Amino acid sequence: MNFPIYRPRRLRKNEHIRRLVRETTLSVDDLILPLFVCPGENVKKPINSMPGNFQLSIDKLVEEVKEVAELNIPGVILFGIPETKDEIGTSGYAHDGIIQSAIKAIKAAKPDTLVITDVCMCEYTSHGHCGFIKKDPLSGKLDVDNDETLKLLVKEALSHAEAGADIVAPSDMMDGRVKLIREALDENGHDNLPIMAYSAKYSSSFYGPFRDAAESPPSFGNRKTYQMDPGNTDEAIREVAQDIEEGADIVMVKPALPYLDIIRRVKDNFDYPIAAYNVSGEFSMIKAAAQNGWLDEKGTALESLSSIKRAGADMILTYWAKDAAKWLQE
Ligand code: PBG
């Protein structure tokens, strides 16, 4: 058969041609590593559900951050496991809180490290919810009160900025938080500090391993009254539009792999930098399969990260950041 038609396979037969026509290339420049900070000294406690990840005391965190810099990874995002928790998450906005102290230590040891902080109450509240709990006057049920929570989030974001954070990333999903955080930052001289808003954050079962890692599962109920319903996509567009209007500099879609369509829709609708969070469950399921010999970890991880980028993400928060940085140099 000899028909003069376009044959896509012609461009697949040679590795160098494949390189030339490749549309999406994952780079170390795309990666952000999430890290968990805990109290104590010389602590490097493995997180069972996330092999290769640890709860790190500040001294160990500083060592880790140096390694991250050597691998040329642009930044880290910090999550805190505090000494104490209470109803209103006081340790989350204390000036000597775990995150505030960690930022200062990192900045003292390695000032050029890009430190992003997760701004949320769930790691610091005794009930594990992302904000201030009140009884709903209509239903009588306990629920997170949006507007009371905003006050706590503003305090938390400001305390991170004062400690030296480079980007604050509110992940609570309360309405109106970006605006109030932006105003508070501006009023206190942090007008150049960007906000990375977890804009389309879904109520997802893929956060399971993280909640073990950060010791932050809700002690009652779930997060469905504030995180997004997995069936929705128009709502993601409204959430992103609102966060941009309120002053977000980077918008996030989370999780990543089950929500690639959302990443693409956000990319097509807004000319804005998009972060995607390749969450704990997306990481752990591949890790577990790889440990069983059922999947090749490097191949599946790099393919996952490339897919997230292909969908439209400009940056990816991923527990594979260090491995990927090494694999991409091989
Ligand atoms: C805090 C927060 C969570 C994650 C990031 N920030 C947990 C949650 O909302 O329950 C999940 C990250 C992951 O699963 O890797 N609100």
Side-chain angles (χ1 to χ4, degrees), residues 120 122 171 201 207 210-211 223 227 254 279-280 319:
C120 192
C122 64
S171 71
K201 178 176 179 182
Y207 306 149
F210 173 96
R211 291 178 187 172
R223 304 210 206 285
Q227 298 181 348
K254 177 184 171 193
V279 302
S280 55
Y319 303 99

Side-chain angles (χ1 to χ4, degrees), residues 34 36 50 77-79 118-123 128-130 169-173 198 201-211 213-214 216-218 223 226-227 252 254-255 277-283 317-319:
F36 300 94
M50 300 171 67
I77 180 163
L78 302 182
F79 295 94
D118 184 82
V119 176
C120 192
M121 299 316 303
C122 64
E123 295 135 71
H129 275 285
C130 300
S171 71
D172 51 281
M173 288 301 278
Y198 287 68
K201 178 176 179 182
Y202 285 85
S203 173
S204 173
S205 298
F206 285 92
Y207 306 149
F210 173 96
R211 291 178 187 172
S216 65
R223 304 210 206 285
Y226 42 103
Q227 298 181 348
M252 193 195 296
K254 177 184 171 193
Y277 202 138
N278 178 223
V279 302
S280 55
E282 301 171 44
F283 170 84
L317 293 80
T318 177
Y319 303 99

